Amino acid sequence: MASFFVSAKPLPEQELAVGELSQRTGVAISTLHFYEKKGLIKSFRNSSNHRRYPRDVIRVISVIKIAQSAGISLFEIKQQFARLTNQKKVTIDDWKQLSAAWHDTLNNRINTLTALRDNIDGCIGCGCLSMSRCQLVNPEDIAAQQGPGPHIDNDTD
Ligand code: FES
């Protein structure tokens, strides 16, 4: 499995045990292991065969946390990580590239959620769940462009 942000073996003072990394990032140990299993971060074994993480991974985890809080999936995050030229750490330029890539995705989600918010009131108390009328059920429906809520017509579903 491809992993990103693999630093050359760091000096001991640059190493973090998984518990330290969890404490520094606020991410549960089990989640860190999950990220590693998904190839988003990578550990190495020190001379005592203990699992260690390079300090650079803190910034990687920060990016993952920010992206996840914005609704970006781990799959999408991994896809964008793969496009970064420097896969040893997340630089300011990397962050600019990542945020630009997610800008359109976030705008689309905001528009979808805004439409959902604006139309849900019309559905409360209606309950028709009509494929031809309900924007919640069928957001692309042409009849939905007449506005939220049920519309009086003679069509049958
Ligand atoms: S439930 Fe959405 S329009 Fe009736």
Side-chain angles (χ1 to χ4, degrees):
M1 177 183 301
S3 295
F4 305 104
F5 307 106
V6 181
S7 293
K9 190 171 181 179
L11 300 172
E13 63 269 14
Q14 295 176 317
E15 297 176 0
L16 291 170
V18 67
E20 294 172 300
L21 184 59
S22 174
Q23 210 166 25
R24 289 289 302 273
T25 60
V27 174
I29 291 173
S30 59
T31 303
L32 294 172
H33 290 313
F34 182 72
Y35 289 165
E36 188 164 0
K37 185 177 174 188
K38 292 294 180 184
L40 292 161
I41 61 173
K42 185 168 176 64
S43 66
F44 61 92
R45 296 284 175 173
N46 67 7
S47 57
S48 303
N49 201 32
H50 295 133
R51 184 194 303 260
R52 294 290 184 259
Y53 294 87
R55 282 195 183 275
D56 292 343
V57 83
I58 292 172
R59 283 181 65 86
V60 176
I61 292 167
S62 296
V63 171
I64 293 170
K65 285 177 67 176
I66 291 167
Q68 283 195 297
S69 71
I72 307 291
S73 71
L74 289 178
F75 179 76
E76 292 169 291
I77 295 167
K78 186 174 179 180
Q79 282 182 320
Q80 290 302 322
F81 280 175
R83 294 189 177 104
L84 299 178
T85 52
N86 177 3
Q87 295 190 351
K88 292 187 177 177
K89 61 182 182 178
V90 178
T91 64
I92 291 173
D93 285 342
D94 291 336
W95 176 243
K96 286 178 183 172
Q97 184 179 335
L98 289 168
S99 58
W102 291 327
H103 190 267
D104 287 344
T105 300
L106 291 176
N107 270 344
N108 288 337
R109 288 185 183 160
I110 288 166
N111 291 337
T112 299
L113 289 172
T114 300
L116 179 64
R117 180 202 63 201
D118 292 347
N119 293 306
I120 197 167
D121 287 346
C123 293
I124 293 172
C126 171
C128 72
L129 299 177
S130 166
M131 286 297 292
S132 63
R133 294 185 301 251
C134 183
Q135 291 187 29
L136 297 182
V137 175
N138 188 7
E140 300 300 322
D141 192 288
I142 292 173
Q145 294 175 10
Q146 298 171 11
H151 301 284
I152 299 171
D153 60 22
N154 294 324
D155 73 343
T156 56
D157 295 313

